[in-house]
Amino acid sequence: MQYAKCGIEGDKIMSIDMGAVSKQVEMLRKCRDEIIVIKSQLLSRKEELNNIWCANEMQYINIAIDKIDASLLAVSRDIENVQKEINSAANEILEEERIERERQERERLERERQEKERQERERQEQERQEQERLERERQEQERIEQERQQVINIGRQVQNIAKNIQRRFM
C-alpha cells in the first residue's frame, strides 16, 4: 500500500475530493457523448454523400470516413476505460483511507489502553507506598509503645526498689 499515492501523508489522512472526481468523470462522459454524436453525424454525412455523389473517389472518401469512424470509436472506448479507471482508483483510495483511519483509531485506542494501564500501575504503586508508610508508622508507634511500657515497668521497678530500701531502713 503506497499512502503517498492515495493522499495519506504520515499519520494525516488527506481525503480524496469525490466531488472533483465526479466532475472529471462527468466531463469525460460528456466528451464521449459528443464523440458519439460526431460519429453518428459523420456516418449520416457519409450516407448523404454516397446518395448524392457517385464518383470513383467516393471509395477513398468512404475509406477515410471509415478510418475516422474507427478512430472515434476507439477514442470513445478509451474515454470509457479512463472513466472506469478513475472510478476504480477513487474507490481504492477511499478504501485505503478507510483502512488508514481504522489503523489510526486502533493505534489511538491502544495508546489510551496503555495510558490507562500506566495510570493504574502508578495508582497501585502509590497505594503500595502508602501502605508501606502506614505499616512503618504502625511499627514505629508499636516500638514507641513498647519503649513506653518498658519505661513504665522500669519506673515501677524503681518504685518497688525504693519501697524496699525504705522498709529496710525503717
Side-chain angles (χ1 to χ4, degrees):
M1 209 180 300
Q2 295 180 349
Y3 294 127
K5 179 177 84 174
C6 70
I8 299 174
E9 296 177 356
D11 284 345
K12 184 178 179 185
I13 298 173
M14 296 172 50
S15 185
I16 186 170
D17 182 355
M18 287 304 290
V21 170
S22 295
K23 286 179 184 177
Q24 290 172 345
V25 169
E26 179 61 18
M27 182 191 69
L28 287 172
R29 187 195 60 75
K30 286 179 182 179
C31 287
R32 195 189 87 218
D33 290 350
E34 287 178 23
I35 289 172
I36 290 170
V37 168
I38 291 169
K39 183 179 173 307
S40 176
Q41 290 172 347
L42 178 66
L43 293 177
S44 292
R45 297 297 178 261
K46 174 185 170 187
E47 190 176 322
E48 289 172 11
L49 275 174
N50 282 318
N51 287 336
I52 62 171
W53 192 2
C54 294
N56 288 338
E57 13 339 297
M58 275 310 295
Q59 73 182 42
Y60 301 111
I61 293 173
N62 285 332
I63 291 171
I65 290 174
D66 289 340
K67 285 182 181 180
I68 293 170
D69 179 57
S71 294
L72 290 174
L73 180 62
V75 168
S76 173
R77 287 181 181 155
D78 288 346
I79 289 174
E80 189 174 344
N81 288 335
V82 168
Q83 285 175 288
K84 289 176 185 176
E85 288 177 15
I86 288 172
N87 283 326
S88 177
N91 289 331
E92 285 179 25
I93 290 169
L94 288 174
E95 179 63 12
E96 288 178 3
E97 288 174 349
R98 182 193 63 76
I99 290 168
E100 179 62 14
R101 279 190 302 276
E102 288 174 357
R103 181 194 66 79
Q104 288 180 2
E105 179 64 11
R106 282 191 308 273
E107 287 177 357
R108 183 189 64 78
L109 292 172
E110 178 62 18
R111 285 190 304 270
E112 286 177 5
R113 184 191 64 76
Q114 288 175 353
E115 178 61 19
K116 285 178 183 177
E117 286 178 356
R118 184 193 62 75
Q119 289 174 352
E120 178 61 19
R121 284 191 305 273
E122 281 181 6
R123 186 195 63 74
Q124 289 175 352
E125 178 61 19
Q126 288 173 350
E127 188 177 289
R128 185 190 63 76
Q129 289 174 357
E130 179 64 13
Q131 288 173 352
E132 286 178 354
R133 185 189 64 77
L134 291 172
E135 179 61 21
R136 282 191 306 272
E137 284 180 7
R138 187 196 62 74
Q139 289 174 354
E140 181 65 16
Q141 289 296 325
E142 193 175 281
R143 185 189 61 76
I144 290 171
E145 181 60 26
Q146 287 174 353
E147 288 177 0
R148 189 179 74 74
Q149 286 298 325
Q150 287 175 352
V151 168
I152 291 172
N153 288 337
I154 291 172
R156 285 183 186 151
Q157 289 173 356
V158 168
Q159 285 176 350
N160 287 337
I161 292 172
K163 284 181 187 175
N164 286 335
I165 292 175
Q166 280 179 352
R167 282 188 209 145
R168 281 191 193 164
F169 294 110
M170 291 205 186

